Amino acid sequence: QVQLVASGGGLVQAGGSLRLSCVASGRIGRINAMGWYRQAPGKQRELVASISSNGNTDYTDSVKGRFTISINSAKNTVYLQMNSLKPEDTAVYYCNGRIFPLQSGSPYNYWGQGTQVTVSS
C-alpha cells in the first residue's frame, strides 16, 4: 500500500506565494515520477507540473516562470513552490505519483487528497 499526503494549501492574496508538499509513504519500491494537478470549480482536472525520477520537469504554460516543482528523493517528497499567484490559480491541488510498489514490476498511479489553494484579488 502506498499513500500520498498533501499539505500547504491556504488563502493568499494575489502576488503572494505558497509552497505545497506531498509525502509518499508505504511500500514504495521506486518513484518513477510525481506531479501536481489542479481542479477549479466547473473545470476539468489539469496537470500543473511534473518531475521525473531523473529530474526532468514540465509545466503547463500558465504557470511557467511562476511555479517550481522539485523533489527530495530521500524523503519521497515532492514540492510545488508557487509564486506570483493569481486568482485564476484558485483550485484544489492534487499530488500524483507514478510509483513502483515493492516487489512489483509495474508502476501504479497514486493520488493524494486535495489541498485547497485560494488566491484573492
Side-chain angles (χ1 to χ4, degrees), residues 83-96:
N83 299 328
S84 302
L85 282 160
K86 303 176 181 180
E88 50 264 43
D89 294 318
T90 295
V92 178
Y93 284 70
Y94 299 89
C95 65
N96 169 270

Side-chain angles (χ1 to χ4, degrees), residues 9-97:
L11 172 64
V12 65
Q13 288 188 331
S17 298
L18 284 173
R19 189 174 84 151
L20 305 183
S21 301
C22 177
V23 181
S25 63
R27 297 179 55 80
I28 297 172
R30 180 170 63 87
I31 294 176
N32 192 31
M34 296 192 76
W36 289 94
Y37 289 71
R38 66 185 179 188
Q39 188 166 19
K43 294 188 176 181
Q44 288 189 330
R45 189 175 296 189
E46 65 169 346
L47 176 63
V48 177
S50 64
I51 185 166
S52 64
S53 58
N54 61 7
N56 288 338
T57 59
D58 192 26
Y59 299 90
T60 191
D61 286 345
S62 62
V63 308
K64 286 179 180 177
R66 300 189 298 122
F67 291 10
T68 302
I69 189 169
S70 60
I71 191 167
N72 183 325
S73 298
K75 295 183 178 181
N76 290 333
T77 301
V78 64
Y79 304 96
L80 186 67
Q81 178 66 44
M82 304 185 294
N83 299 328
S84 302
L85 282 160
K86 303 176 181 180
E88 50 264 43
D89 294 318
T90 295
V92 178
Y93 284 70
Y94 299 89
C95 65
N96 169 270

Side-chain angles (χ1 to χ4, degrees), residues 81-118:
Q81 178 66 44
M82 304 185 294
N83 299 328
S84 302
L85 282 160
K86 303 176 181 180
E88 50 264 43
D89 294 318
T90 295
V92 178
Y93 284 70
Y94 299 89
C95 65
N96 169 270
R98 187 153 181 84
I99 298 171
F100 287 82
L102 282 172
Q103 298 178 327
S104 172
S106 300
Y108 294 87
N109 270 322
Y110 296 92
W111 291 91
Q113 89 290 4
T115 184
Q116 177 71 46
V117 171
T118 303

